Amino acid sequence: MHKSASGSTLGPGGLDLTQAFFRPITNAAPPSPTKRHNKISVIGAGNVGMAIAQTILTQDLTDELVLVDTNTDKLRGEMLDLQHAAAFLPRTKINSSADSSVTAGSDLCIVTAGARQIVGESRLNLLQRNLSLFRAIIPPLVRYSPDTILLIVSNPVDILTYVAWKLSGFPSNRVIGSGTNLDSSRFRFLIADHLDLNAQDVQAYIVGEHGDSSVALWSSISIGGVPVLSFLESQHIGYEKETLENIHKSVIDGAYEVIRLKGYTSWAIGYSVANLARSFIRDQRKIHPVSVLAKGFYGIDGEVFLSLPALVGRGGVLSVTNVHLNEEETQRLKDSAKTIHEVQTQLGI
Ligand SMILES: NC(=O)C1=CN([C@@H]2O[C@H](COP(=O)(O)OP(=O)(O)OC[C@H]3O[C@@H](n4cnc5c(N)ncnc54)[C@H](O)[C@@H]3O)[C@@H](O)[C@H]2O)C=CC1
Ligand SMILES: CC(=O)C(=O)O
């Protein structure tokens, strides 16, 4: 069997099996022209790329999902393994190739390709290795999908988002790093666990670098509409600053612990990125802490990408939320920006 030019299946002698199986309905209305065909490409079919792909499929976020990887056997194996779940999933066309032309016309390109940390390495240690990969990966993605949103996940994510922005020539609102969307979920989980409630009811952000210099915004945490720290202060309920610092330290150490235990992180980043993909593709206008061009916000004067709570929709990042930071948080954010800028300057990027 093979496919006809129209995509229907041809049997022996050129018989169109699709037409043979189905009888046309007279006076059937043509398909609605308003339904938009969505296409998401995931570059890098490793632990992270596949966790993202699987979550996108189960959440029915796209009509077409494309996987790209240079390891062609693994790539085909991953594609077939997902295709074999077709009977249990919403209908999605799944395709794969080592050639980026397969991504043509993508609405969203998610880049996860590259080296990952081994025990003892920080995210910044990966920069040299992943920088050269990005120089090969980004230009063809841009050529084949000039209107796409680039969502960068590979580490160090903030610096590689800056690199992708420079290489793409795109406006900065269409080049976004997954940033601290994941760290903030870890933060919300730890607070919710501490108080025995649902993490979805905890509004809390980690901003700055996705990594060791991230900043916890304690002053703006609210639970069920109650601003936590000012409530405790108004009720004269004491709390230890050290407890807060320990929770933030657990957020930072979280990835290192998972990497030490299982070798890599995958499930949480899979859900985090699928959650972002939904906001872009379905134009959710949701606020996510993601890595954006931060120059000009909170006194940051260097050209760096780092995470700030941002309004996200079909056009990419639509605006940055004017969340209040106290003096200490502002200073920590500036220090985080400085850390990233220094690495970029040392490498001449
Ligand atoms: N931003 C975040 O929150 C997180 C980022 N990461 C990062 O994601 C990246 C991937 O991690 P894993 O999936 O665990 O690694 P992995 O080693 O399982 O997968 C990487 C994949 O990239 C592929 N690849 C290499 N060069 C390529 C190219 N030129 N084009 C296409 N594919 C290529 C490899 O063949 C491999 O399949 C790492 O940089 C890791 O640090 C991981 C977790 C969270
Ligand atoms: C590896 C990594 O960046 C993370 O899980 O946060």
Side-chain angles (χ1 to χ4, degrees):
M1 281 194 285
H2 59 282
K3 298 265 181 192
S4 73
S6 66
S8 54
T9 305
L10 295 181
L15 175 70
D16 188 325
L17 292 182
T18 310
Q19 282 201 8
F21 271 117
F22 300 102
R23 290 198 210 160
I25 300 174
T26 44
N27 299 329
S32 162
T34 52
K35 168 79 178 83
R36 206 180 171 286
H37 179 90
N38 286 312
K39 178 169 176 176
I40 299 181
S41 294
V42 178
I43 321 304
N47 304 305
V48 172
M50 293 316 297
I52 294 169
Q54 195 245 4
T55 315
I56 285 173
L57 288 177
T58 52
Q59 296 190 0
D60 196 11
L61 297 183
T62 190
D63 303 295
E64 191 175 351
L65 179 71
V66 164
L67 304 173
V68 177
D69 201 294
T70 43
N71 182 343
T72 48
D73 280 353
K74 173 161 164 56
L75 179 65
R76 184 162 166 73
E78 292 290 10
M79 179 192 74
L80 290 172
D81 207 6
L82 285 180
Q83 286 175 336
H84 295 169
F88 316 111
L89 286 172
R91 184 164 178 264
T92 306
K93 185 177 171 201
I94 307 172
N95 205 350
S96 75
S97 174
D99 184 336
S100 313
S101 61
V102 73
T103 62
S106 294
D107 300 281
L108 178 64
C109 290
I110 303 171
V111 184
T112 76
R116 62 181 146 86
Q117 297 153 262
I118 54 165
V119 176
E121 277 189 315
S122 84
R123 295 173 182 87
L124 290 175
N125 290 131
L126 302 170
L127 183 55
Q128 276 296 7
R129 278 167 278 169
N130 288 344
L131 194 55
S132 47
L133 275 188
F134 264 53
R135 291 192 173 121
I137 290 172
I138 302 297
L141 289 181
V142 168
R143 200 164 57 247
Y144 290 117
S145 302
D147 299 321
T148 196
I149 292 171
L150 287 173
L151 177 56
I152 309 302
V153 183
S154 313
N155 273 320
V157 67
D158 301 292
I159 300 180
L160 290 178
T161 306
Y162 168 80
V163 169
W165 173 55
K166 285 286 175 190
L167 289 169
S168 68
F170 279 1
S172 60
N173 65 300
R174 282 201 285 127
V175 188
I176 299 118
S178 61
T180 57
N181 201 48
L182 171 57
D183 314 52
S184 300
S185 174
R186 288 181 176 134
F187 193 36
R188 291 166 70 185
F189 159 71
L190 289 167
I191 295 167
D193 201 40
H194 209 71
L195 302 174
D196 195 18
L197 45 86
N198 191 319
Q200 295 193 14
D201 287 326
V202 179
Q203 291 267 305
Y205 294 115
I206 299 279
V207 297
E209 183 198 7
H210 168 61
D212 302 349
S213 73
S214 70
V215 184
L217 297 189
W218 287 103
S219 69
S220 58
I221 293 181
S222 70
I223 296 173
V226 180
V228 175
L229 290 198
S230 48
F231 171 77
L232 292 179
E233 277 155 21
S234 71
Q235 300 298 306
H236 308 291
I237 302 171
Y239 59 89
E240 302 274 331
K241 198 157 183 225
E242 202 186 331
T243 310
L244 308 188
E245 295 288 352
N246 283 339
I247 293 179
H248 183 208
K249 189 172 176 314
S250 299
V251 172
I252 294 175
D253 292 344
Y256 290 105
E257 188 180 6
V258 177
I259 290 169
R260 183 174 55 76
L261 293 167
K262 66 173 245 191
Y264 55 88
T265 61
S266 58
W267 301 124
I269 185 65
Y271 281 102
S272 165
V273 172
N275 187 246
L276 291 173
R278 176 189 295 279
S279 291
F280 293 124
I281 293 286
R282 303 255 188 264
D283 195 25
Q284 290 293 293
R285 300 182 69 85
K286 257 190 95 184
I287 295 167
H288 295 272
V290 280
S291 196
V292 296
L293 183 61
K295 188 174 177 178
F297 297 106
Y298 300 101
I300 296 169
D301 50 16
E303 215 168 52
V304 290
F305 276 67
L306 48 70
S307 288
L308 295 172
L311 187 68
V312 166
R314 184 94 203 176
V317 164
L318 308 173
S319 54
V320 169
T321 317
N322 206 359
V323 61
H324 174 76
L325 269 59
N326 66 25
E327 229 172 88
E328 187 184 347
E329 291 163 346
T330 308
Q331 190 53 51
R332 287 189 180 198
L333 184 65
K334 282 183 177 172
D335 293 344
S336 188
K338 200 163 156 239
T339 306
I340 296 171
H341 196 252
E342 275 169 8
V343 178
Q344 288 177 185
T345 311
Q346 274 165 22
L347 279 164
I349 52 175

